[in-house]
Amino acid sequence: MASIDTSNVLTLFGRISGIGADEAYSEMCSRAAEKIEGMLTAETLTPEQAGRCEYAAACEAAYEYALETASGSALCMSESGAVKAGSGSIQSVHSAEMLRKHALAEISDLIEYGELVFITAEG
């Protein structure tokens, strides 16, 4: 019986995000692993299936990371009138979203969405 190993998720997240397996993101990776585990229909996973689920969880965490960093990319004015631009990239969010959709498609035989979800095909 295999299960999703959050240390593997963190390692994969580091590779995908390009920032390395930073322990500061272990909570984000744990949440992503829990999300994928919550979608699973199988009671047990083979090692191959667990690897696909770990990759999907890492993609989920990378998507969340991209959203967080991009949230600072818009110009914001403080009460004092100071304007600050963040360093996130909307293109990074788009790329992370596409990777996330791909990873979820790769585990579609193992998961069930809790709500009605539409994922459109592009191209």
Side-chain angles (χ1 to χ4, degrees):
M1 177 176 123
S3 62
I4 297 176
D5 183 337
T6 54
S7 65
N8 289 344
V9 174
L10 182 60
T11 299
L12 289 165
F13 166 79
R15 187 182 82 202
I16 293 166
S17 67
I19 59 173
D22 189 332
E23 285 297 318
Y25 298 101
S26 62
E27 182 183 340
M28 183 181 289
C29 290
S30 292
R31 281 194 317 269
E34 288 172 9
K35 180 177 181 177
I36 298 299
E37 285 175 340
M39 298 166 80
L40 290 174
T41 58
E43 291 292 320
T44 60
L45 299 173
T46 66
E48 182 272 333
Q49 291 170 329
R52 287 191 287 147
C53 290
E54 289 164 356
Y55 185 75
C59 290
E60 183 69 34
Y63 178 66
E64 185 177 332
Y65 171 77
L67 287 173
E68 279 189 4
T69 57
S71 68
S73 66
L75 295 177
C76 300
M77 183 178 292
S78 69
E79 288 181 16
S80 66
V83 177
K84 179 181 177 185
S87 60
S89 165
I90 298 303
Q91 181 58 42
S92 293
V93 172
H94 178 69
S95 297
E97 180 184 21
M98 298 311 298
L99 185 61
R100 178 176 164 250
K101 286 179 181 180
H102 170 74
L104 287 174
E106 290 294 312
I107 61 168
S108 64
D109 59 325
L110 302 172
I111 62 173
E112 182 177 285
Y113 292 105
E115 349 180 309
L116 185 59
V117 175
F118 290 97
I119 299 179
T120 61
E122 295 184 20

